[in-house]
Amino acid sequence: MNKKSLIEKYQYLENTHQPRAALFHDLSGFGKCSLTVALPILSAAGVEASCIPTAVLSTHTGGFEGYTFRDLTEDLPAFLAHWKELGFEFDAVYSGYLGSPEQAEILEAFVETQKPETLFFVDPVMGDFGSLYPGFDDGMVRAMRKLIGKADLILPNMTEASLLLGIPYQEPPYSEEYVNKIVRELAAVGPQFVILTGIGLEEGQTGAAVYDSAADQVDFIETEQLPGSFHGTGDVFSSLVLAGLMNGKPLTEAVRIAVDLTAEAIARTIVRKRPAREGVDFEGVLPQLIERLGHSE
Ligand code: PXL
């Protein structure tokens, strides 16, 4: 193919815009989570992803001992001042694991430099199974509670939802009534959309409750519950939801794709008998993501 025909091939892109997201997460060198998951998923979805690393670790903190942890809080003001000077604009700002509570304020100030339509997509990463992740304390809970007041959409699990609301953590299973109450209380703090993760209304099912406060509607999107608990699945799920939204999918469809593909990644990992702390084979489901987003040629 000569140059001219390639230009012709892509002529349909004229006057279209490649969606662009800023990813505010840690970089854990080993143990697929945060940036090492968000970046490939969004890239596969055709989204231009820029990274704001909150911390650099040798591994994530769930299931490994002796990891290194470099908090990048001190670097962030100059890092973001440089971006501001260059005038970069994003269609979405996606935050996850913060290196310190102070980073919530830095992030909030960064979001304020963006256009009003920028989607502020917050995964309030703090804990799971009723406990905070190592190194996090009440200061992080307070910072995250304030941060979600500015978010458009949040994706907590039940541990994080309970911490954000300052209520005791309840063990599953959850009644529909309890889930409805939690998502409404979270939306009252600020975000229009609340996606509560790890929710299965029936035995053997898991998925997410999706609440749109403007419509005051809760949708339950579920799949088969697979055995075990694998690290980084929350980050895989959130990144898949954002990938769908940034490709113009309605929220419930984006969550349907995320629920299905997270389960597929877990199933591949189970069959290969991989250790839970090493994360899931999300790489193997990227072709399905591309197909479901309508990008395959
Ligand atoms: O997947 C959440 C996460 C992200 N980043 C780091 C973590 C965790 C959960 O343990 O340790 C560093």
Side-chain angles (χ1 to χ4, degrees):
M1 237 184 225
N2 61 35
K3 218 172 186 175
K4 186 158 178 290
S5 65
L6 269 183
I7 298 291
E8 274 166 11
K9 177 179 176 190
Y10 289 108
Q11 207 56 49
Y12 71 94
L13 291 174
E14 198 176 20
N15 302 323
T16 66
H17 162 78
Q18 183 180 12
R20 182 188 263 185
L23 314 183
F24 200 101
H25 295 253
D26 73 280
L27 173 64
S28 287
F30 187 90
K32 296 177 270 185
C33 66
S34 35
L35 279 182
T36 62
V37 157
L39 190 54
I41 289 177
L42 287 157
S43 299
V47 175
E48 178 187 341
S50 305
C51 301
I52 306 160
T54 58
V56 178
L57 297 85
S58 52
T59 68
H60 61 68
T61 68
F64 294 100
E65 297 289 318
Y67 47 82
T68 67
F69 185 101
R70 172 78 59 194
D71 172 8
L72 294 182
T73 306
E74 275 184 32
D75 294 62
L76 292 188
F79 188 117
L80 294 171
H82 184 214
W83 281 18
K84 190 174 175 194
E85 203 180 297
L86 293 164
F88 299 151
E89 286 199 325
F90 297 92
D91 302 298
V93 176
Y94 167 25
S95 73
Y97 185 100
L98 305 184
S100 70
E102 298 80 66
Q103 291 186 355
E105 307 259 329
I106 296 172
L107 171 58
E108 213 179 298
F110 170 64
V111 170
E112 274 162 18
T113 68
Q114 296 297 305
K115 50 191 184 205
E117 318 84 84
T118 299
L119 177 72
F120 188 21
F121 185 96
V122 176
D123 186 350
V125 174
M126 285 191 289
D128 211 350
F129 304 106
S131 310
L132 284 166
Y133 290 134
F136 284 0
D137 60 16
D138 206 46
M140 184 61 88
V141 177
R142 283 195 302 271
M144 213 55 105
R145 197 175 289 155
K146 183 160 174 281
L147 188 67
I148 67 159
K150 301 284 177 193
D152 296 306
L153 183 156
I154 62 170
L155 314 91
N157 57 33
M158 194 55 99
T159 301
E160 291 153 350
S162 308
L163 289 165
L164 290 167
L165 294 174
I167 59 172
Y169 171 71
Q170 312 240 341
E171 296 284 342
Y174 305 111
S175 67
E176 193 167 337
E177 198 185 354
Y178 187 65
V179 171
N180 286 343
K181 177 170 118 63
I182 297 283
V183 292
R184 284 194 173 87
E185 286 181 9
L186 285 168
V189 182
Q192 182 186 340
F193 304 101
V194 176
I195 302 174
L196 191 59
T197 63
I199 301 298
L201 290 182
E202 278 173 40
E203 181 80 20
Q205 296 279 297
T206 189
V210 182
Y211 180 58
D212 175 355
S213 61
D216 194 29
Q217 180 168 334
V218 185
D219 288 295
F220 289 86
I221 299 179
E222 303 188 356
T223 187
E224 175 189 353
Q225 164 110 57
L226 296 164
S229 161
F230 290 83
H231 198 88
T233 50
D235 298 337
V236 169
F237 174 82
S238 297
S239 303
L240 288 167
V241 172
L242 184 60
L245 290 178
M246 295 193 81
N247 277 275
K249 299 291 180 201
L251 182 59
T252 49
E253 194 181 333
V255 174
R256 177 83 259 166
I257 294 171
V259 164
D260 291 348
L261 297 191
T262 304
E264 300 253 350
I266 294 170
R268 296 171 65 95
T269 309
I270 290 173
V271 173
R272 287 203 169 122
K273 303 187 180 62
R274 301 302 305 155
R277 68 181 188 175
E278 294 189 7
V280 292
D281 178 6
F282 73 90
E283 298 91 337
V285 303
L286 293 177
Q288 290 185 64
L289 174 65
I290 291 165
E291 197 183 322
R292 289 184 68 169
L293 294 177
H295 287 315
S296 35
E297 281 188 312

